[in-house]
Amino acid sequence: MQHGKYRFIVGFLALPLLIYAIFVISPFVQAFQISTTEWSGLRGAAKSVGLGNYDKLLHSDEFWNALGHNVIMLVLVPIATLTLGLFFAFMLNVGGRARRGAVITGVRGASFYKFVYFFPQVISITIISVIWFNIYNPDPHDGMLNSLLGAVGLDSLQSSWLGERSIALACIMVVMVWANVGFYVVLFSAAMASIPREIYEASLLDGANRLHTFFRITLPLLWDTVQTGWVYMGIIAMDAFALVQIMSVNMGGPDGATDVVPLRLYQTAFRDSQFGYAAAMGVAMLVVTLLFAVLTMRFARRERIEF
């Protein structure tokens, strides 16, 4: 009977696992194999170079510059996105004024606000990039942001934005946060809705204010969701290809100020026809992403709280 059960389970899992191995695991293995070759990707046999591409990466200033920008995004973008997501979700669900017959309530029109916050999620990243590219347009009359600053008398704050080396990367990170925060508002709102209202009401009766309820009740009970969201946002921050390609000056400019590893990989493969070197960049991205995920799951781990 026991052996029959295992055969039944294996029979159901065999085909999905085979498909997963072919279309997910196999490309990773092939990428590592290609990274040990010198190959144009178009014609000619691939020439094995061992770990030569990785040695070239270690001594490439352009790669380290791009990776540094990815690391900055990896640190700042998840923090900003998850913090805003938690704040908005908390205010929408338990941040409203007390009403008759209810101690804990969200703000009025919470469903509408959730829809507004979530709206960027249904827009193509290409459209988002084009919209914000026009917002950051440096022209004081055609650029939406500069026009607004000029209209309210803040002409001194007008800038070339994406053309300014010191703030170009920050401008793109703002767009990343704006585009993703709505997803976490909805995600955290759904998680908060599962927390019994009696817990909040008991804490208020004990004299706790909104700040205390957030850090003593809401955040600990949502920690698993926050941890998962942190890993997911880290993966998004390690990408950023479409935003940088469309929004940046000369793809990664000015002067490499917004260059990221995915864009460097794309240019190396399809512009320079160095597919082996580009594959080595892809493997390096995989290692950094896995390292980030492992460290996040390791150091953010805490005892599970059930209710």
Side-chain angles (χ1 to χ4, degrees):
M1 182 68 181
Q2 196 76 0
H3 294 293
K5 182 182 73 172
Y6 288 131
R7 282 197 298 268
F8 179 77
I9 295 174
V10 171
F12 267 96
L13 291 180
L15 182 59
L17 288 177
L18 179 62
I19 294 175
Y20 183 82
I22 293 174
F23 293 103
V24 178
I25 303 299
S26 175
F28 282 112
V29 176
Q30 292 177 25
F32 179 77
Q33 184 272 324
I34 293 173
S35 72
T36 62
T37 66
E38 184 179 299
W39 181 43
S40 68
L42 299 176
R43 62 175 180 268
K47 176 184 176 183
S48 178
V49 294
L51 299 179
N53 287 323
Y54 295 98
D55 182 67
K56 185 178 178 180
L57 274 184
L58 292 175
H59 297 88
S60 172
D61 293 336
E62 291 181 340
F63 172 76
W64 286 108
N65 175 62
L67 182 60
H69 295 153
N70 274 119
V71 171
I72 293 174
M73 290 180 172
L74 199 63
V75 174
L76 298 181
V77 172
I79 291 176
T81 304
L82 297 182
T83 300
L84 289 174
L86 280 169
F87 172 75
F88 290 136
F90 183 76
M91 295 305 296
L92 290 177
N93 287 273
V94 296
R97 294 182 179 180
R99 302 175 193 168
R100 183 177 300 176
V103 177
I104 291 295
T105 182
V107 299
R108 294 184 183 275
S111 298
F112 172 75
Y113 290 127
K114 291 176 186 177
F115 169 78
V116 172
Y117 289 136
F118 191 78
F119 185 71
Q121 289 293 310
V122 301
I123 304 177
S124 165
I125 190 66
T126 303
I127 297 176
I128 290 175
S129 302
V130 172
I131 290 173
W132 279 90
F133 181 80
N134 285 280
I135 290 175
Y136 286 134
N137 189 328
D139 191 285
H141 303 291
D142 295 333
M144 295 177 62
L145 183 54
N146 279 343
S147 296
L148 176 62
L149 292 173
V152 296
L154 298 176
D155 305 68
S156 59
L157 297 180
Q158 291 178 338
S159 175
S160 58
W161 306 113
L162 296 172
E164 188 72 34
R165 178 178 172 80
S166 59
I167 61 173
L169 186 64
C171 291
I172 292 178
M173 287 194 290
V174 167
V175 180
M176 293 180 67
V177 173
W178 178 87
N180 291 283
V181 71
F183 172 80
Y184 291 97
V185 171
V186 175
L187 178 66
F188 293 145
S189 293
M192 289 179 190
S194 66
I195 301 176
R197 285 291 188 263
E198 292 79 7
I199 298 179
Y200 287 112
E201 294 172 3
S203 67
L204 291 179
L205 290 175
D206 289 338
N209 56 32
R210 303 285 183 181
L211 191 63
H212 289 150
T213 58
F214 176 78
F215 285 104
R216 299 295 180 87
I217 298 176
T218 304
L219 188 57
L221 292 178
L222 294 185
W223 191 252
D224 287 345
T225 306
V226 173
Q227 187 182 45
T228 303
W230 196 286
V231 174
Y232 181 64
M233 272 307 303
I235 295 172
I236 293 177
M238 277 301 297
D239 185 4
F241 168 74
L243 284 174
V244 174
Q245 184 192 33
I246 297 173
M247 294 181 61
S248 64
V249 177
N250 296 326
M251 295 181 64
D255 194 24
T258 58
D259 199 9
V260 289
V261 176
L263 181 62
R264 177 62 41 194
L265 186 157
Y266 169 81
Q267 292 177 325
T268 301
F270 298 101
R271 184 192 65 186
D272 304 334
S273 296
Q274 300 179 27
F275 277 76
Y277 187 37
M281 293 184 186
V283 173
M285 278 186 60
L286 173 64
V287 172
V288 172
T289 304
L290 288 178
L291 183 63
F292 168 78
V294 169
L295 291 177
T296 300
M297 301 300 289
R298 173 65 180 84
F299 291 105
R301 183 185 303 168
R302 57 188 300 171
E303 184 179 351
R304 185 180 180 87
I305 300 176
E306 298 183 357
F307 51 88

